[in-house]
Every structure is written in C-alpha cells, then in structure tokens.
Amino acid sequence: MPPEDEHRVQCHLDRLLTERGMTLSELAARVGVTVVNISILKNDRAKAIRFSTLTAICRELGCQPGDLLSVRED
C-alpha cells in the first residue's frame, strides 16, 4: 500500500467547531479557503494540509495543531 494511503491522522474539526459555536462556512470565510476544502479536512478525507492553512485554522479556533489533529491508534 502506498504511504499516502496508510495515514492514521484524524481531524477533530467537527468537535472544535461545535465547542466554539462556529459553522464550517464561517471558518472557511475566516481562513480564506473553500467550504469544500474545509469539509474534506473535517471528514478525514484530506491527504495533506498546508502549514499556512493549519496556522489560520488554529488562529481562528484558538487552538494548537495537536487539538485539531491526532494519530489514531490501530
């Protein structure tokens, strides 16, 4: 299996948005990316994330990268 298919990184964007009372659309507008791209990240379908996007998401959600992403134990 290619390495990109083996990742176990989980995104906790849904929980963070709920905790902050923010919508996907609102976050996308604040970060400057499309709702589709934020949705891909939220649904664990992303294969990569730019550090600039990660930084902007963390800034808007008031969190650290480790609050947003974790590695699933298998």
Side-chain angles (χ1 to χ4, degrees):
M1 185 181 308
E4 63 271 8
D5 292 338
E6 296 175 1
H7 87 80
R8 294 177 289 137
V9 174
Q10 288 185 293
C11 182
H12 308 289
L13 187 55
D14 204 26
R15 177 179 49 82
L16 291 169
L17 287 170
T18 299
E19 288 173 0
R20 284 147 179 83
M22 189 182 299
T23 66
L24 207 62
S25 299
E26 184 180 354
L27 180 63
R30 288 183 179 196
V31 171
V33 298
T34 66
V35 173
V36 170
N37 283 339
I38 293 286
S39 181
I40 288 169
L41 182 62
K42 180 181 85 85
N43 293 315
D44 286 326
R45 293 191 324 257
K47 294 185 184 205
I49 184 170
R50 291 179 185 206
F51 282 156
S52 58
T53 303
L54 180 60
T55 300
I57 290 171
C58 288
R59 179 190 67 231
E60 294 303 325
L61 294 177
C63 69
Q64 292 294 313
D67 300 323
L68 183 63
L69 304 170
S70 67
V71 177
R72 182 179 61 248
E73 298 295 327
D74 283 344

